[in-house]
Amino acid sequence: MTAYRQFLSKAFACVFPTLFLATSLAVADAATLQLRTNQQVIEDLTRQEPEIDMTNVDAVFAAVFEALPEKAVVYPTESYYYFTFPYKGIVYAGNIRFDAWDQFDGKVHFAYFPEYAFWRKPLDPSYKKLGKEDGVYVKQIDKLHYTVTFKGKTVAFELPDLSKTKPAPGVVRDDETYIGPIWDESGVKFDLVFNKPSKTFLYVLNDAPKIDQYEDATIPGVTVGHRTSFAFYKDKLADRRILIGVFMGNTQLNNYFDGPFDQLPDNFIEGDALRDALIEVEPSMKGKMDRYGSDPSGEVRYAITTYMYYGDVEDLKPIVDCAAKETDAPKYYACFDAKQPGEDGPEQGDGKGDASDKEATAAPEPTKAEPAPTEKKKTK
């Protein structure tokens, strides 16, 4: 299902109680096991800390920027550079973002907030769009390379070039449109495909390189990632695996595994392919959205969440049952557009994976520091 999502410069909330800074995959030492120890956790929490006013966005940005490496690689395709850090017993999550929608305006988005927890509602994020008036100088070298200079320090940000990443032969059917490559913050890569006859978006697994191990579920044709909890269905009409489920607990915790809806292939969409597909789904939006699926203000964006948020793998059974019985291709692929109770098509289950309303299907919880539905991108 697709629905509008409110935008906010999003921050990853996960329990890594150290400042989490991306390092290039190319420089990883394959001969050394990368240990994360409890010793590091405790020492990071108990070490002497600088005095930072956490209510002052400029002060927090200065502290984060000082800790950044001189070169940063931004892997997720909506260009979020995620980090976490502990401060006075609280682990904060945040990001620096180069938004494709406004990436040429010489500014950068910055957001942070206390990490999410099951026992309380998400706390409001702190956010500011920073530019030269704040002493932050952003220079675009090209659409995949930026430098940010602040207080005499310059950090080079690199976005991986996926322009030559194409689906494997047979992955995209003749009656489908390839929208672009996705590199999710989970590390998993997808091919975003639009099936035109069924008017359904599909997140197709691109398992190269293989970064998860998949276990057969109790439901035939379904495999679930050990690390990500992403659930895939083996397509019976093409040689590919389609994402059909994201574990709801990950969405509620706003962690790396909350699904790829917020990592669309912004820098690699060719022409109006995404907008044209969205208008096929919602003809009434013609003339009301840009090529990224945003409204003219950039405050609201169409969310592509055709997979289900599940609490138990059995919640995915309606999708699989629908796909198993359908022989007509358009009806078959329509099975992968997860519906809410009361709508036509495969429904959410009645168990833990059930969501309460239509908007919840698109974004069941504020994700990556996204605002509540009434908040807007420019005020986050």
Side-chain angles (χ1 to χ4, degrees), residues 220-376:
V222 176
T223 55
V224 180
H226 278 274
R227 186 177 64 89
T228 63
S229 300
F230 291 166
F232 294 91
Y233 182 76
K234 182 172 174 49
D235 192 345
K236 66 183 182 182
L237 301 182
D239 186 14
R240 60 189 183 183
R241 290 191 175 273
I242 299 169
L243 179 69
I244 62 169
V246 169
F247 182 58
M248 182 170 282
N250 288 326
T251 304
Q252 293 168 338
L253 286 179
N254 183 32
N255 63 24
Y256 280 168
F257 313 120
D258 65 353
F261 81 98
D262 53 1
Q263 300 299 345
L264 297 187
D266 287 355
N267 287 302
F268 310 104
I269 299 169
E270 295 188 6
D272 295 327
L274 177 59
R275 175 167 56 187
D276 291 347
L278 289 170
I279 291 172
E280 283 287 312
V281 177
E282 290 286 350
S284 64
M285 297 312 299
K286 186 174 182 179
K288 300 178 182 179
M289 67 172 68
D290 64 17
R291 61 185 297 267
Y292 299 106
S294 300
D295 74 349
S297 71
E299 295 179 346
V300 185
R301 186 173 188 178
Y302 218 100
I304 301 174
T305 50
T306 48
Y307 45 81
M308 179 183 289
Y309 296 101
Y310 73 91
D312 187 281
V313 173
E314 290 296 316
D315 293 343
L316 303 172
K317 196 171 185 299
I319 297 175
V320 176
D321 289 347
C322 175
K325 73 178 182 181
E326 292 294 348
T327 56
D328 177 71
K331 292 181 179 179
Y332 166 74
Y333 284 112
C335 294
F336 302 110
D337 187 357
K339 305 293 184 182
Q340 291 297 330
E343 296 182 311
D344 295 332
E347 296 183 347
Q348 299 274 9
D350 293 329
K352 298 177 183 178
D354 192 16
S356 61
D357 55 38
K358 183 174 182 179
E359 187 168 66
T361 301
E365 293 288 340
T367 50
K368 302 294 181 298
E370 286 189 349
T374 56
E375 296 181 284
K376 296 184 178 180

Side-chain angles (χ1 to χ4, degrees), residues 16-252:
F16 288 142
T18 57
L19 183 61
F20 183 86
L21 302 175
T23 55
S24 172
L25 294 178
V27 300
D29 185 353
T32 304
L33 188 66
Q34 299 298 310
L35 286 180
R36 295 187 180 96
T37 68
N38 179 252
Q39 175 186 347
Q40 292 171 312
V41 171
I42 293 175
E43 290 178 357
D44 283 339
L45 287 169
T46 57
R47 72 182 180 85
Q48 187 174 0
E49 300 164 327
E51 283 299 322
I52 305 171
D53 180 0
M54 295 304 295
T55 65
N56 185 323
V57 179
D58 296 284
V60 177
F61 175 79
V64 169
F65 195 80
E66 182 181 8
L68 291 176
E70 292 184 356
K71 180 178 179 181
V73 181
V74 187
Y75 289 108
T77 39
E78 282 197 23
S79 306
Y80 292 97
Y81 187 75
Y82 296 116
F83 56 80
T84 67
F85 62 90
Y87 187 72
K88 295 187 182 300
I90 298 175
V91 177
Y92 289 86
N95 73 83
I96 297 170
R97 187 190 185 199
F98 302 89
D99 191 345
W101 187 85
D102 60 6
Q103 63 184 352
F104 303 110
D105 67 356
K107 295 187 177 183
V108 67
H109 300 268
F110 177 70
Y112 64 95
F113 64 98
E115 66 176 358
Y116 285 28
F118 281 122
W119 61 269
R120 58 166 165 76
K121 292 182 178 180
L123 302 179
D124 290 337
S126 298
Y127 164 83
K128 189 173 183 180
K129 190 175 181 181
L130 299 164
K132 60 183 179 181
E133 64 273 19
D134 306 292
V136 178
Y137 296 88
V138 182
K139 181 179 180 181
Q140 184 188 47
I141 310 303
D142 54 49
K143 73 175 185 178
L144 299 178
H145 295 86
Y146 297 82
T147 60
V148 178
T149 301
F150 178 68
K151 292 187 176 181
K153 177 181 178 178
T154 297
V155 176
F157 289 87
E158 175 186 348
L159 285 60
D161 186 358
L162 304 182
S163 60
K164 296 181 180 178
T165 300
K166 303 299 180 185
V171 166
V172 180
R173 290 165 48 93
D174 292 340
D175 57 357
E176 295 176 335
T177 299
Y178 174 59
I179 304 299
I182 288 175
W183 201 337
D184 186 51
E185 72 267 35
S186 65
V188 177
K189 292 181 179 180
F190 298 90
D191 295 317
L192 182 59
V193 173
F194 181 64
N195 183 270
K196 290 181 283 188
S198 67
K199 298 182 181 180
T200 301
F201 286 94
L202 305 172
Y203 290 95
V204 178
L205 176 64
N206 176 355
D207 207 17
K210 190 178 183 67
I211 61 157
D212 201 355
Q213 295 188 32
Y214 300 94
E215 178 179 308
D216 290 338
T218 54
I219 306 174
V222 176
T223 55
V224 180
H226 278 274
R227 186 177 64 89
T228 63
S229 300
F230 291 166
F232 294 91
Y233 182 76
K234 182 172 174 49
D235 192 345
K236 66 183 182 182
L237 301 182
D239 186 14
R240 60 189 183 183
R241 290 191 175 273
I242 299 169
L243 179 69
I244 62 169
V246 169
F247 182 58
M248 182 170 282
N250 288 326
T251 304
Q252 293 168 338

